């Protein structure tokens, strides 16, 4: 049975993962209408992953005797100046999510909730992967400069975040 404090912070994460999914959908739509087919395809896939993250939290809360609450999501930004700015926002957002997961990990240790602590390890690993894959994209963008954005866009179409095996 989940303690109320843990249930609440896991529900906070339901909102954050769901918002992440919508944020990446909004970015995908912007990229798609700005001529970046590859980037938009990467973002649509990311949006699906974030939805899966949200579902993992929902299922976990409910299976542990809590109640997952589906929140309203704030509207994500619809426009970006350029692709560099957009990926900088992706990295910033993933760092925020990592911090958020770490706060839950810390609370589970304080509350001696080792079951939830164990559940969170998948997310700890996933966040390392997500941050490094976005950082790799930003590094690539810096290297190629503006003249090769077309090749970059085709390249990224083949890139996917490696995801640890979902249960
Ligand atoms: Fe679910 Fe990208 O954090």
């Amino acid at each position: 049975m989940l303690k109320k404090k843990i249930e609440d912070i896991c529900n906070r994460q339901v909102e954050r993962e769901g918002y992440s999914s919508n944020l990446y959908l909004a970015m995908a739509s912007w990229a798609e209408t700005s001529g970046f087919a590859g980037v938009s395809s990467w973002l649509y896939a990311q949006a699906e992953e974030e939805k899966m993250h949200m579902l993992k939290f929902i299922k976990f809360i409910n299976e542990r005797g809590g109640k997952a609450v589906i929140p309203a999501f704030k509207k994500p930004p619809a426009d970006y100046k350029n692709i560099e700015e957009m990926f900088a926002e992706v990295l910033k957002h993933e760092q925020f999510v990592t911090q958020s997961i770490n706060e839950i990990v810390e609370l589970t240790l304080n509350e001696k909730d080792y079951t939830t602590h164990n559940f969170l390890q998948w997310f700890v690993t996933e966040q390392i992967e997500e941050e490094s894959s976005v950082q790799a994209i930003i590094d690539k963008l810096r290297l190629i400069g503006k003249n090769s954005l077309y090749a970059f866009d085709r390249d990224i179409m083949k890139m996917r975040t490696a995801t640890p095996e979902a249960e």
Side-chain angles (χ1 to χ4, degrees):
M1 186 79 183
L2 282 182
K3 287 185 185 169
K4 184 78 174 86
K5 270 189 203 171
I6 304 280
E7 180 181 347
D8 287 348
I9 203 167
C10 285
N11 265 315
R12 185 185 79 171
Q13 197 63 26
V14 167
E15 192 278 332
R16 290 183 176 178
E17 300 292 348
Y19 177 76
S20 303
S21 182
N22 286 352
L23 174 65
Y24 296 152
L25 269 184
M27 287 175 169
S29 181
W30 173 80
E32 192 163 45
T33 54
S34 304
F36 294 108
V39 172
S40 80
S41 139
W42 187 87
L43 286 160
Y44 281 125
Q46 285 301 114
E48 278 304 306
E49 282 209 12
E50 299 300 350
K51 186 181 168 195
M52 186 266 284
H53 297 172
M54 176 177 67
L55 282 171
K56 279 175 92 78
F57 269 97
I58 290 171
K59 295 280 183 192
F60 178 77
I61 295 166
N62 290 343
E63 277 164 14
R64 298 290 303 152
K67 186 177 194 309
V69 178
I70 310 307
F73 298 107
K74 72 172 194 264
K75 187 179 174 203
D79 291 297
Y80 295 88
K81 275 207 289 287
N82 51 47
I83 215 82
E84 290 87 351
E85 181 198 64
M86 194 209 73
F87 275 111
E89 286 300 317
V90 174
L91 182 60
K92 208 166 94 187
H93 184 71
E94 286 304 327
Q95 288 165 340
F96 165 74
V97 172
T98 300
Q99 174 61 29
S100 180
I101 295 287
N102 288 344
E103 285 166 12
I104 314 178
V105 171
E106 195 181 344
L107 186 66
T108 59
L109 290 177
N110 293 341
E111 297 292 321
K112 299 188 175 8
D113 180 346
Y114 302 116
T115 308
T116 305
H117 184 268
N118 183 55
F119 164 73
L120 291 168
Q121 296 315 301
W122 185 90
F123 285 90
V124 170
T125 308
E126 173 72 1
Q127 283 312 119
I128 296 169
E129 190 51 53
E130 295 218 331
E131 279 193 35
S132 80
S133 100
V134 178
Q135 187 61 60
I137 291 171
I138 289 171
D139 293 345
K140 199 175 176 68
L141 262 174
R142 250 182 224 135
L143 271 176
I144 61 167
K146 295 218 183 305
N147 294 333
S148 307
L149 271 180
Y150 176 72
F152 165 79
D153 187 55
R154 279 192 311 181
D155 240 31
I156 197 175
M157 196 175 278
K158 298 181 208 106
M159 289 175 73
R160 286 281 183 278
T161 308
T163 306
E165 210 46 49
E167 288 158 32

